[in-house]
Amino acid sequence: MSTNKPSGSLLETLRAQSDAVRGQGEAARRPLEESIREIDRRLWRAFKWLDEATAHLGVIKPVVAHEFRVDDIVTIASPKFDSGFLSFRRKALGVSEVIEHIEFFYKLTGEKPIVLKVAPALVAATESRLNACQLRFKFRTEIDAQRQGVFTVEPMVVAMVRFVPDYRRQTVDVTMRNVDRFEAVTLEFPAGALEEPALEDLVRLIMGEANTFLRRAPLAGIGAARRTPDVAGQDVYRIEKTVRPR
């Protein structure tokens, strides 16, 4: 009497085993996929909240209680909020399309241009520092005994806040450039922490009312903020790409 198993039984066994393993994998992935969707929803809510807040600030144009200094060369004190806009980019992640980053740009303006007169030997260094801080200026040489260099600096600060999520680690890096001074710093937030109270603290920081937002999360990286130093070792920022105005 033959002991051979009926044809096809091995394939059926393999099919059943693979279905079981596949089901376990799908069950394990569901919590991660749901957390990814939840982070994306939180970021979208943050985008809409900041977009509305920015529109109101652009109408009110409040005075910002910050002092922006470029060494001892230029000081822009208590500028007004002028305008701002937000943009975002999406990317594919698994079976979903999620927010890759959010960028919030805004402009602060002072009352009148700042005129600097510097000795010829200091012209190059002054120009370098102003450029490093993204300050706009005009230059001319004053014809006198010393032939001083004259810089007419536009009292305008361009600032940026950038949100970059890490969906696997469930964190969001928030990089702030020129928010309260000419420097850049990155904080690492748990994704669930970027709710309305944190966004309110961010706006209060922008307005110079409180720095609570800076204490809500640790600096990103190991032991130090991610900063963009210029050649003199000072912290400055640079806009690295063109963004779309709304």
Side-chain angles (χ1 to χ4, degrees):
M1 182 175 178
S2 174
T3 58
N4 291 338
K5 294 183 179 180
S7 176
S9 62
L10 176 59
L11 185 59
E12 291 172 358
T13 300
L14 293 174
R15 185 183 297 122
Q17 290 175 346
S18 68
D19 286 345
V21 172
R22 188 179 296 111
Q24 292 172 357
E26 290 175 354
R29 283 194 299 271
R30 276 189 215 108
L32 177 59
E33 291 172 355
E34 180 54 36
S35 70
I36 289 172
R37 286 192 290 269
E38 178 58 28
I39 293 170
D40 182 67
R41 286 192 289 265
R42 289 178 185 273
L43 288 170
W44 184 239
R45 288 197 299 266
F47 177 91
K48 292 192 291 185
W49 192 96
L50 285 170
D51 192 50
E52 180 178 353
T54 302
H56 295 317
L57 292 173
V59 173
I60 300 167
K61 300 189 184 303
V63 172
V64 173
H66 285 309
E67 184 177 89
F68 296 86
R69 298 178 62 87
V70 184
D71 301 331
D72 294 325
I73 303 171
V74 171
T75 299
I76 302 174
S78 302
K80 289 185 177 181
F81 188 96
D82 183 86
S83 60
F85 67 90
L86 283 87
S87 66
F88 69 93
R89 179 180 295 170
R90 300 188 74 84
K91 68 176 181 178
L93 182 61
V95 297
S96 304
E97 188 177 77
V98 297
I99 289 176
E100 181 178 4
H101 67 248
I102 295 171
E103 291 177 323
F104 169 29
F105 287 88
Y106 63 93
K107 182 171 66 175
L108 310 176
T109 56
E111 292 186 358
K112 58 184 180 179
I114 302 165
V115 178
L116 305 174
K117 293 185 177 183
V118 301
L122 299 177
V123 167
T126 301
E127 182 177 3
S128 176
R129 289 298 294 128
L130 295 177
N131 283 328
C133 293
Q134 297 288 308
L135 289 171
R136 298 178 181 177
F137 60 87
K138 294 180 180 179
F139 175 80
R140 63 183 174 85
T141 300
E142 193 169 78
I143 306 300
D144 58 11
Q146 295 183 329
R147 295 183 63 83
Q148 295 183 103
V150 181
F151 292 86
T152 303
V153 182
E154 185 176 345
M156 181 179 72
V157 177
V158 179
M160 185 196 76
V161 182
R162 193 170 195 256
F163 302 81
V164 180
D166 185 325
Y167 288 94
R168 301 299 178 183
R169 296 176 58 236
Q170 299 186 33
T171 60
V172 179
D173 279 1
V174 180
T175 298
M176 294 171 287
R177 294 189 174 109
N178 294 3
V179 169
D180 61 345
R181 65 196 71 185
F182 287 117
E183 70 174 18
V185 63
T186 300
L187 304 179
E188 184 178 273
F189 281 81
L194 287 175
E195 293 289 353
E196 188 168 325
L199 299 176
E200 290 176 350
D201 282 344
L202 173 58
V203 172
R204 292 189 183 101
L205 175 64
I206 290 170
M207 293 295 100
E209 297 173 0
N211 63 358
T212 309
F213 187 79
L214 298 174
R215 299 195 297 271
R216 280 185 169 270
L219 297 172
I222 302 175
R226 298 172 185 170
R227 298 179 182 269
T228 306
D230 69 359
V231 293
Q234 300 296 321
D235 293 321
V236 299
Y237 91 102
R238 294 172 176 82
I239 297 175
E240 297 176 350
K241 66 174 202 163
T242 303
V243 296
R244 305 184 308 275
R246 61 180 178 183

